[in-house]
Structure formats: structure tokens, C-alpha cells
Amino acid sequence: MIILIGGEKGGSGKSCIAQNLAVYLQQKNHDILLLDADPQGTTTDWVKERDENLNLKNIPSVQAAGNIRQVLDDLSKRYQDIIIDAGGQDSEALRSAMTIATHMLLPFRPKRRDLKTLVHVEQLIRLAKAVNPTLITNAVITQCPTLPSQTQRILDAKDACESFGIIPLKQFTTNRNVYDDADENGLSVFEVDTDKKAVAEIEQLAIEFLGDL
């Protein structure tokens, strides 16, 4: 699989999801590579933090920019799965990755400034599928409030995605400190014992998005 995590708006948790999916797949004994195509280098910094902890299993990673289609084609011959953190912007890296990826996940917070990017994202997907018609594309609503009174915001965000033909996952992620705490130490939620609900969120997200591995 070539799994692309991207979108047009920063701050929606793309790097967090890419990192946690990488650990999830590695724990399923998949031979994986993390590719950081985000100019901010968030995932690269996370991998460096991880490499300093000798108790953690190394995750191979590379950085790339620009037209990365050929890079991905070459790397896909050497790794079972590639997870791409494309960052929160319309870039050449994002567009080129969309032409070869097998899966694309688009994180959106249940906020107007995130959801208003759906217009352009839908156009990008349509262009990509003209050359990559088998691309599996889903949205995921992230950083959701945990209060039951805010459930309608999550449902409205899912409806907005569906209105643009982008099917949202049933699973969503919530505002949990463990995501930030893990990220700062090169960890995933699977390697922190403080929040089992976060583990369940990522596991269910992965199963729904990628299937039962």
C-alpha cells in the first residue's frame, strides 16, 4: 500500500495520524517506510526523537519534495507499505503522490475553516482519479470535542464531506492530550499506557480505512 495523508489545511493532525498508522502497521509485521513530504518536517523530527530511544523499534524514513511519483514508484518495490505525510497545503508533492497512492486519507477538524477547503480538495481528487482511478479516498474527522452536546458538530462535518463525494470514516479522533504527549517523545499511542481510548480510536480508524490486516 501507498498511504497518503494530506489535505489543504494545517493543524488537523495529519502527521499524528501518519505516525500512528506507521506504528500500527509495523506492529502488524508490515515492512514500512515513512515518507515526509511536509516542508515543516514534523514527521522527520518525530523519527529523530524516536531514534534516540533505544527501547523503540526503528521506523525507516525519508524526506522528499516536488514531484515524488518516481520516488514512490521506486520505494514501493522495496517496502511493503509506504505512509506519506504530505502536510497541510496544495503542493506538487501532494498532487504527484495522489497519482500513484493506493489510499488517501484527508483529516478535517469539525471547523468551518477546515471544511471550506473541501471545494478545492474535491477538485484535486477528481484530477488524480483521472490517472489513478483505483485510489481509495476517505475523510476522517479529527480533534473532536468529547462533550456529548457537541456530537452534532461531528455529524455536520461528516455530512459536509459526503456532500462533496468524500466518504468520511465512521471512526473519528477526539481531543486527547496523549496524542501531543506521544508525539513530543517520538512515540505512538500504542506505546503510551495513559489512554486506551486513543489506542481504540487509531485501531478502529486503521481497520475501517485499510481493512482487517
Side-chain angles (χ1 to χ4, degrees):
M1 296 181 291
I2 300 177
I3 304 162
L4 173 61
I5 315 295
E8 276 210 339
K9 191 76 179 67
S12 60
K14 286 174 283 293
S15 296
C16 176
I17 290 175
Q19 294 156 14
N20 280 282
L21 280 180
V23 175
Y24 172 83
L25 289 170
Q26 188 181 65
Q27 291 185 347
K28 298 292 184 183
N29 297 316
H30 283 227
D31 181 28
I32 63 158
L33 174 77
L34 258 176
L35 189 148
D36 191 352
D38 183 355
Q40 293 185 17
T42 304
T43 288
T44 298
D45 291 341
W46 178 81
V47 170
K48 289 178 181 177
E49 288 280 349
R50 189 176 182 85
D51 287 345
E52 293 177 3
N53 189 335
L54 299 180
N55 295 318
L56 298 176
K57 191 171 182 179
N58 171 263
I59 292 181
S61 69
V62 296
Q63 286 183 286
N67 187 339
I68 62 174
R69 180 186 170 91
Q70 188 59 53
V71 171
L72 289 169
D73 189 39
D74 292 342
L75 290 171
S76 67
K77 298 177 176 66
R78 296 160 49 194
Y79 293 91
Q80 184 177 3
D81 298 321
I82 301 171
I83 303 99
I84 308 157
D85 176 8
Q89 59 182 326
D90 179 4
S91 64
E92 185 179 8
L94 174 66
R95 289 183 178 231
S96 59
M98 290 173 72
T99 66
I100 194 172
T102 59
H103 298 72
M104 181 175 185
L105 188 62
L106 298 150
F108 295 95
R109 291 169 295 185
K111 298 181 178 181
R112 179 177 175 81
R113 62 177 175 270
D114 279 30
L115 298 172
K116 70 180 184 180
T117 66
L118 281 163
V119 176
H120 189 57
V121 168
E122 186 273 336
Q123 293 172 350
L124 291 180
I125 292 171
R126 190 158 13 96
L127 289 172
K129 286 194 172 183
V131 295
N132 186 12
T134 60
L135 175 65
I136 297 169
T137 307
N138 287 106
V140 61
I141 310 303
T142 59
Q143 302 176 22
C144 298
T146 55
L147 294 173
S149 61
Q150 299 297 306
T151 300
Q152 191 59 47
R153 294 183 62 183
I154 302 171
L155 296 175
D156 290 344
K158 289 184 177 183
D159 287 344
C161 293
E162 286 196 34
S163 71
F164 285 92
I166 304 171
I167 304 303
L169 300 179
K170 294 178 181 178
Q171 182 61 55
F172 53 86
T173 67
T174 52
N175 275 320
R176 298 185 181 279
N177 291 333
V178 67
Y179 287 114
D180 288 333
D181 295 343
D183 175 79
E184 290 176 1
N185 296 293
L187 302 170
S188 70
V189 296
F190 301 102
E191 297 153 329
V192 180
D193 295 328
T194 56
D195 197 330
K196 298 301 182 185
K197 290 183 179 180
V199 171
E201 286 179 358
I202 298 298
E203 284 183 339
Q204 291 304 310
L205 182 156
I207 291 168
E208 187 179 356
F209 181 48
L210 302 174
D212 189 353
L213 303 175

